[in-house]
Amino acid sequence: MHYERMKWWLNRHLSITRALQGGLLAIGAPLGWLLILAVDGQPPETAIRATPGLFAYMLFGTMSVFAGFGWIMGGHEQAERDRGLHDGLTGLYNAEFFHIALGNVVSAMRRHEQPVALVIFDLDHFKRINDDYGHIAGDKVLSAFANVLKEVFRQTDLIIRWGGEEFLVVCRQSTREELPEVAERCREMVASTPFDIGLEKPINITCSIGFSLLPPDREEDFDTAWKRTFAVIDYALYATKLSGRNGWVGVIETLK
């Protein structure tokens, strides 16, 4: 496994990481015991042959205890971290997670020479929903919209609540031919889905979409390339709203 990928994986699975660390740390107990005996003049190999059961108990028993403790602590640490990297309302990743995962996404993109697409969504006239029906109804719409995105996009894509009524999706292994199809499928699904907000009759909403693609061979440095791509999708989203909302715009000039 590639070093950066392994590092990212261990960082995302803290229970396993802390269990491994605990097990390695526990090796110090039997080694320390052998060191004490060596200082007293008893060679380590003699001590092991004399009391193999005690040595095995100290080695595996201590490793098991430390690894188990590490597993439990890692689980608590992972839970705390996940709460900080997920949106509390929709359960999607938040912007902080995006910034953490971005380096791994770009490294994989360049390593496999595959482009990464950015798709941004903005719910049309969302303020009107809050004003007319209340913020609880607005929260239900946001949660339902998040579920629509989960249905459309793949599990390998990163779906993020960017803030307020804006959502961002990072699509790996997407092509410029696929993006318009995906955008239209999202637009159509949202427009045709009745959103239950707890009233007698569900409401209908629409969304505006902007997208672009970051090619793997772009010669710009990392920060410049992503800032440019974000500026492009913001422009595309703005163009969608100017054209009447409930649609999508992809700025294909950046796809060359």
Side-chain angles (χ1 to χ4, degrees):
M1 183 183 292
H2 191 272
Y3 170 75
E4 290 298 330
R5 176 64 180 173
M6 178 182 293
K7 180 180 177 181
W8 180 85
W9 190 89
L10 289 174
N11 194 45
R12 291 299 302 155
H13 298 80
L14 288 178
S15 291
I16 296 175
T17 301
R18 299 295 180 248
L20 292 173
Q21 290 174 335
L24 292 173
L25 182 64
I27 296 177
L31 292 180
W33 174 66
L34 293 176
L35 178 61
I36 293 173
L37 293 178
V39 171
D40 290 338
Q42 186 175 3
E45 60 272 15
T46 302
I48 294 175
R49 284 198 299 267
T51 56
L54 177 60
F55 181 78
Y57 171 77
M58 291 185 64
L59 178 62
F60 297 108
T62 307
M63 287 181 66
S64 298
V65 171
F66 274 59
F69 182 74
W71 177 276
I72 294 173
M73 294 304 297
H76 289 300
E77 187 178 351
Q78 184 73 59
E80 289 297 323
R81 175 181 290 183
D82 286 344
R83 277 193 288 270
L85 298 178
H86 286 77
D87 174 56
L89 175 64
T90 63
L92 300 177
Y93 291 120
N94 59 21
E96 182 178 353
F97 174 84
F98 170 78
H99 293 297
I100 293 174
L102 188 57
N104 183 70
V105 170
V106 172
S107 296
M109 173 190 75
R110 290 175 174 168
R111 186 167 61 251
H112 300 295
E113 297 184 348
Q114 294 175 332
V116 172
L118 289 183
V119 186
I120 190 168
F121 297 84
D122 187 276
L123 300 187
D124 296 331
H125 305 297
F126 183 73
K127 184 178 182 301
R128 189 181 301 168
I129 296 175
N130 284 330
D131 292 342
D132 292 346
Y133 305 106
H135 289 279
I136 294 178
D139 288 347
K140 290 182 179 181
V141 169
L142 292 172
S143 297
F145 181 77
N147 291 331
V148 171
L149 294 182
K150 291 176 185 178
E151 289 184 34
V152 173
F153 290 94
R154 298 166 296 199
Q155 291 185 345
T156 55
D157 298 328
L158 300 180
I159 307 175
I160 300 151
R161 186 183 177 193
W162 196 241
E165 65 270 25
E166 283 193 347
F167 295 78
L168 179 72
V169 181
V170 182
C171 304
R172 291 173 278 195
Q173 301 178 356
S174 294
T175 66
R176 60 184 301 173
E177 292 79 18
E178 293 174 335
L179 284 175
E181 298 176 4
V182 172
E184 176 59 23
R185 189 160 71 247
C186 286
R187 185 208 63 77
E188 184 177 352
M189 182 175 291
V190 171
S192 61
T193 297
F195 284 77
D196 184 6
I197 58 172
L199 301 177
E200 293 183 3
K201 184 178 179 181
I203 65 172
N204 291 96
I205 67 170
T206 59
C207 67
S208 299
I209 306 169
F211 64 81
S212 187
L213 199 71
L214 179 64
D217 57 350
R218 185 172 292 283
E219 297 179 356
E220 298 167 316
D221 63 82
F222 172 82
D223 289 334
T224 302
W226 279 96
K227 287 179 181 178
R228 180 189 296 274
T229 305
F230 269 106
V232 167
I233 63 171
D234 279 340
Y235 172 81
L237 183 63
Y238 180 68
T240 305
K241 290 182 175 296
L242 285 181
S243 63
R245 297 181 169 84
N246 189 24
W248 52 266
V249 170
V251 183
I252 60 174
E253 285 81 2
T254 63
L255 309 185
K256 295 179 182 179

